[in-house]
Amino acid sequence: MNTVRRDFVDGPFGQVHIRTANLSVNSDHLPLICLHQSPKSGREFLNFMQVGTPDRAMIAIDAPGHGESDVPAKASDATIENYAKSHWAAVDALGIERIDILGNHTGAKVSAEMAYQQPERVRKIIMVSALILNEEEREGFRSMFTPIPLDEAGTRFKTMWERSIHYRGSGVSLIDLAASFAENLRAGEAYEWGHQAAFDYNVHFPSRVAALEHDITVLNPADMLFDYTPRIAPLLKNGRVIDHPDWGLNFFDAFPKDAMKV
């Protein structure tokens, strides 16, 4: 089993928290950069990184305002474009030149933006769910993830937990679900900035994807985005969409060995 280490590097919005495995490995495999969903962190790749091949470096990066990375100074700084810049700063700090990217949900959008910003440094992209929405759908998702004010009844946390249970993927234990739930709380009152950044970026996402020449595999697990993700297929110049109805949210925790085969 791989040892996963934790560290901080400097980024444009403060310190960036990273998890790494096999950094010192010298092999033909490009390092795999793992980008999480909102409002989670690189912790969602922990099991995945531990069981991964020992001859490939893997790096999971907490986006600004997620996990233990510093929160941006203001909400307007929380954008997919800025998340991509922060991730590139982390890659540069590690002295890595060329990468493959694995992006989950919001991370899928960030992966596209990273490749758009520096296309020559990215070989391959794997996206997990790729949300393509019309305007009405975008506003519906935005309203669903509007921040819930704090109150003494704990409405915010009760709603979070109910959603966690409702969207719980197959094979996900309550222990793993609780650990994932805890990641929602780390950004404090900025906890929904990542979702809002993703919805704002939706107007750019189709054109960004359509502009990419990279090999792109889009995995479509049976989660809340299952019916929307296939819309990306016509935009892929060099890619494919693969349905995984046997997987749900948190499948990196539940089925890390199977996920590693992708």
Side-chain angles (χ1 to χ4, degrees), residues 7-253:
D7 203 353
F8 288 89
V9 298
D10 291 330
F13 303 98
Q15 292 188 84
V16 178
H17 180 247
I18 61 175
R19 289 174 172 84
T20 65
N22 308 326
L23 267 189
S24 61
V25 168
N26 185 14
S27 75
D28 294 333
H29 296 294
L30 290 182
L32 179 66
I33 306 299
C34 302
L35 310 180
H36 59 80
Q37 61 188 313
S38 295
K40 308 297 184 180
S41 74
R43 187 218 165 271
E44 71 182 11
F45 298 107
L46 179 59
N47 292 349
F48 176 75
M49 294 171 72
Q50 287 174 332
V51 304
T53 174
D55 61 348
R56 184 179 205 185
M58 291 176 284
I59 301 98
I61 308 173
D62 291 357
H66 295 73
E68 295 188 41
S69 289
D70 286 342
V71 179
K74 53 187 183 297
S76 59
D77 287 335
T79 66
I80 298 300
E81 292 88 344
N82 282 343
Y83 292 168
K85 291 176 183 177
S86 180
H87 294 336
W88 276 123
V91 172
D92 290 342
L94 294 172
I96 296 172
E97 179 56 35
R98 200 154 181 260
I99 59 174
D100 291 336
I101 308 178
L102 167 60
N104 186 23
H105 278 230
T106 299
K109 288 183 165 62
V110 181
S111 71
E113 181 62 27
M114 287 185 72
Y116 184 81
Q117 288 180 7
Q118 300 196 44
E120 71 286 352
R121 297 182 65 184
V122 178
R123 182 187 65 168
K124 181 179 180 180
I125 303 169
I126 301 171
M127 298 182 183
V128 179
S129 303
L131 190 58
I132 304 289
L133 300 173
N134 62 37
E135 181 64 24
E136 182 179 356
E137 292 166 340
R138 182 163 67 104
E139 292 311 309
F141 269 88
R142 186 191 298 276
S143 64
M144 179 180 177
F145 292 101
T146 297
I148 301 171
L150 286 173
D151 60 25
E152 293 184 356
T155 303
R156 175 187 295 178
F157 314 117
K158 184 173 183 290
T159 302
M160 280 184 183
W161 184 249
E162 289 174 347
R163 288 178 179 172
S164 295
I165 293 295
H166 179 75
Y167 292 110
R168 176 185 182 184
S170 172
V172 177
S173 70
L174 282 175
I175 292 174
D176 282 335
L177 197 66
S180 176
F181 173 83
E183 296 302 297
N184 297 359
L185 311 180
R186 290 183 177 271
E189 293 306 291
Y191 79 102
E192 285 293 15
W193 286 7
H195 273 138
Q196 301 306 320
F199 302 142
D200 288 344
Y201 189 77
N202 190 69
V203 298
H204 305 296
F205 186 47
S207 62
R208 291 289 195 267
V209 172
L212 299 178
E213 304 285 347
H214 305 74
D215 183 308
I216 301 175
T217 298
V218 181
L219 306 179
N220 189 25
D223 59 25
M224 67 179 71
L225 308 186
F226 184 77
D227 293 332
Y228 302 94
T229 292
R231 297 176 183 178
I232 200 173
L235 304 175
L236 300 174
K237 290 183 178 179
N238 180 24
R240 76 264 345 136
V241 177
I242 302 175
D243 289 345
H244 278 280
D246 50 331
W247 291 351
L249 279 176
N250 307 96
F251 70 84
F252 288 105
D253 273 333

